[in-house]
C-alpha cells in the first residue's frame, strides 16, 4: 500500500468514528443545554473549560513526544510506555490537587467546586487514554483509536440520556463522563496489549526525567492551545457571569465539532511528518502544503454556510433561549478556518524539532488573547470574547508563516492562486445560498454538488492533486 493510500485508509477509520462522535455530541449538546438551562449550563461549561486546560498538566506533553519518538523507531515503544504510565500517575495527582487549589483561589461556589472536581477525575482518565491513543498513532494503527472514540461517545450519550431521564442533575452528567471514559480506557489497554505492544513496566528515574524534560515544550504548547478553547469562558464566568458564559459555551460546543476533521488529519499526518523530517524534506514540505490546501478546500465553503444558517442552527439545537449565540457563532466559525491553516504549520514545526518556537508563538498569542479579553469582555461580553479570539488566531498564523518562511519553506505561487480560487468559489456559493436559502438539511449536499465542480472549473486542482486522487481510488 502506498503512503498516500495508507494515510487515507487511516483517515477513513477516523472519519467514520468522528461521524459517530459528531452525531452523539450533537444530540447531547442539545439535551444537556435544554435540561440544565443557561445558568447551570454556564457552570457545566466552566468545569469543562478549566479541566480542559488542566488536562495538559496530566498529559504534560508526554503523549506528543512519544508519538514523535516511537513513530521514528517502533522498537522503543515498550520501554517508553512502561515508564510513561507510572510517570503520568504522578502528574495526574498533581492535576487534581492543582484543580482544587485554583477553585478555592477563585472562590467558586460549592456546586461549581464539586462539579469541576468530578470533571478533573474525568480528564485524568482521559489523559491515560490519550497516551494509549498516541501509541496507536505512532504505529499508524489508528483504526483502534477510531473504534475507541465511537465506544466512548455512544456509551456517554447513553449514560447522559439515563441521567436526564432519571433527573439526577448536573452531578449525574459529570459521573457519566467518568464512567464512559473508564470503559473506553479498559478497551484501549486491552487492544494495545493484544494487537500492538505490551508495555514493559518500570520506573527508570533517569529515563523518566529525560521524557519529562523533552516533553515540556509540548506541554506548554498544549496549555496555550487549550487556553484558546477555554480561557474565554473562564473569563466570562468571572467578569460577566453565568448567563454570558452559558451563551458563549453554547456556541463553543459547536466549534469543536467543526475542528474534528483537523484533529483527525493531525493524528494521521503528524507521525508521517516526523518520519519525513529525517528522510525526505521535500516530501515534508509537500505534505504541509497539501494539508493546508485540502483542509481549506473543505472548511472555507463550510464556514460560509454556517454564517448564513447560524440563526437556524442555534434555534434548532438550543431553542429561542440561546438566540444571542447565533451572532457569536457567525464570528467564531472563522477561528476554525484559521485553525485549519495553523494546525498543519504546528505539525510541521513540531515534526522538525521546532517545538520551542511553537511555544513562543502560542505564548505571545495567549498574552494577546487575555489582554484583548480584559479590554473587550467588560464592554461587549461574549461578542468581545469572540472578536478577541479571532484577532489572536490571526496573529498566531501571521507569526507562524514568518517563521516557516525564515526556515526556507515558502508557499509556492500556485498554492496561493489555488486558495484564492477556493475563496472565490465559496463566495459564489454563499451568494447563491443567500438568495436561494434552501432547507438547512439540503444545504450541504446541494452545496457540495455546486462547489466541487466549481473549483475544478476554476482550476484549483493541479496535476499533483489529480495524481493523488487517482492513487487513493487505485487508478493509474
Amino acid at each position: 500500500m502506498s503512503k498516500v493510500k495508507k494515510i487515507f485508509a487511516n483517515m477513513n477509520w477516523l472519519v467514520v468514528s468522528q461521524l459517530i462522535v459528531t452525531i452523539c455530541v450533537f444530540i447531547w449538546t442539545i439535551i444537556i443545554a435544554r435540561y440544565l438551562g443557561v445558568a447551570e449550563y454556564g457552570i457545566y461549561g466552566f468545569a469543562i473549560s478549566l479541566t480542559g486546560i488542566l488536562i495538559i498538566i496530566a498529559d504534560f506533553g508526554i503523549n506528543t513526544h512519544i508519538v514523535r519518538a516511537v513513530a521514528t523507531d517502533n522498537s522503543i515503544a515498550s520501554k517508553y510506555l512502561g515508564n510513561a504510565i507510572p510517570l503520568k500517575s504522578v502528574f495526574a495527582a498533581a492535576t487534581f490537587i492543582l484543580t482544587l487549589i485554583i477553585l478555592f483561589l477563585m472562590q467558586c461556589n460549592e456546586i461549581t467546586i464539586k462539579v469541576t472536581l468530578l470533571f478533573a477525575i474525568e480528564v485524568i482518565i482521559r489523559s491515560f487514554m490519550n497516551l494509549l491513543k498516541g501509541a496507536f498513532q505512532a504505529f499508524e494503527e489508528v483504526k483502534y483509536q477510531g473504534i475507541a472514540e465511537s465506544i466512548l461517545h455512544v456509551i456517554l450519550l447513553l449514560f447522559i440520556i439515563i441521567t436526564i431521564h432519571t433527573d439526577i442533575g448536573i452531578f449525574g452528567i459529570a459521573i457519566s463522563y467518568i464512567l464512559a471514559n473508564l470503559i473506553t480506557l479498559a478497551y484501549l489497554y486491552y487492544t494495545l496489549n493484544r494487537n500492538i505492544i505490551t508495555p514493559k513496566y518500570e520506573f527508570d528515574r533517569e529515563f523518566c526525567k529525560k521524557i519529562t524534560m523533552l516533553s515540556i515544550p509540548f506541554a506548554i504548547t498544549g496549555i496555550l492551545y487549550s487556553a484558546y478553547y477555554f480561557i474565554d469562558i473562564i473569563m466570562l464566568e468571572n467578569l460577566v457571569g453565568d448567563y454570558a458564559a452559558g451563551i458563549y459555551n453554547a456556541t463553543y460546543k459547536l466549534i469543536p465539532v467543526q475542528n474534528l476533521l483537523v484533529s483527525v488529519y493531525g493524528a494521521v499526518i503528524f507521525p508521517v511528518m516526523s518520519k519525513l523530517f529525517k528522510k525526505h524534506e521535500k516530501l515534508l514540505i509537500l505534505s504541509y502544503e497539501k494539508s493546508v490546501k485540502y483542509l481549506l478546500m473543505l472548511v472555507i465553503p463550510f464556514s460560509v454556510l454556517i454564517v448564513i444558517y447560524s440563526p437556524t442552527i442555534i434555534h434548532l439545537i438550543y431553542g429561542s433561549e440561546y438566540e444571542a449565540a447565533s451572532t457569536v457563532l457567525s464570528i467564531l466559525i472563522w477561528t476554525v478556518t484559521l485553525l485549519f491553516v495553523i494546525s498543519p504549520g504546528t505539525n510541521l514545526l513540531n515534526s522538525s524539532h521546532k517545538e520551542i518556537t511553537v511555544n513562543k508563538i502560542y505564548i505571545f498569542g495567549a498574552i494577546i488573547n487575555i489582554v484583548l479579553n480584559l479590554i473587550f469582555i467588560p464592554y461587549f461580553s461574549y461578542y468581545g470574547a469572540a472578536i478577541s479570539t479571532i484577532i489572536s488566531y490571526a496573529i498566531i498564523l501571521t507569526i507562524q508563516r514568518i517563521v516557516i518562511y525564515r526556515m526556507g519553506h515558502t508557499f509556492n505561487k500556485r498554492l496561493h492562486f489555488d486558495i484564492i480560487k477556493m475563496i472565490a468559489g465559496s463566495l459564489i456559493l454563499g451568494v447563491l445560498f443567500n438568495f436561494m436559502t434552501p432547507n438547512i438539511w439540503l444545504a450541504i449536499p446541494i452545496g457540495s454538488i455546486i462547489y466541487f465542480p466549481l473549483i475544478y472549473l476554476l482550476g484549483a486542482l493541479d496535476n499533483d492533486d489529480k495524481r493523488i486522487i487517482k492513487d487513493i481510488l487505485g487508478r493509474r
Side-chain angles (χ1 to χ4, degrees), residues 170-194:
I170 193 170
F171 294 107
I173 291 172
I175 292 170
S176 296
Y177 273 80
I178 293 172
L179 294 176
N181 277 273
L182 276 174
I183 293 170
T184 309
L185 177 62
Y187 163 78
L188 282 168
Y189 187 77
Y190 171 78
T191 305
L192 180 73
N193 278 269
R194 182 176 180 180

Side-chain angles (χ1 to χ4, degrees), residues 313-458:
I313 293 169
I314 293 298
H315 184 77
L316 177 67
I317 296 175
Y318 297 115
S320 58
E321 187 179 5
Y322 291 84
E323 185 178 352
S326 64
T327 305
V328 181
L329 178 60
S330 296
I331 300 171
L332 278 180
I333 191 61
W334 297 108
T335 64
V336 179
T337 304
L338 292 171
L339 181 64
F340 273 43
V341 184
I342 292 171
S343 184
T346 300
N347 284 329
L348 172 65
L349 294 174
N350 281 337
S351 63
S352 303
H353 296 257
K354 298 287 185 181
E355 55 268 22
I356 300 296
T357 302
V358 174
N359 284 346
K360 293 177 181 177
I361 295 171
Y362 276 91
I363 287 171
F364 184 75
I367 293 171
I368 293 295
N369 189 34
I370 292 171
V371 170
L372 291 175
N373 275 332
L374 289 172
I375 296 171
F376 291 151
I377 286 178
Y379 293 100
F380 305 109
S381 189
Y382 32 75
Y383 300 123
I387 293 169
S388 298
T389 303
I390 287 283
I391 294 173
S392 59
Y393 265 62
I395 290 172
I396 287 176
L397 176 58
T398 301
I399 297 173
Q400 186 186 81
R401 282 299 307 141
I402 293 171
V403 170
I404 294 173
Y405 176 81
R406 288 179 176 175
M407 289 171 60
H409 308 317
T410 60
F411 267 153
N412 58 61
K413 292 181 180 179
R414 176 58 192 260
L415 182 56
H416 275 122
F417 287 126
D418 289 342
I419 293 174
I420 292 171
K421 291 171 184 177
M422 289 185 283
I423 293 172
S426 300
L427 291 175
I428 293 171
L429 182 67
V431 171
L432 289 174
F433 273 66
N434 193 46
F435 287 105
M436 293 166 50
T437 319
N439 184 285
I440 188 172
W441 301 110
L442 298 175
I444 292 179
I446 293 175
S448 300
I449 293 171
I450 297 173
Y451 173 72
F452 289 107
L454 181 60
I455 61 170
Y456 179 82
L457 292 173
L458 290 172

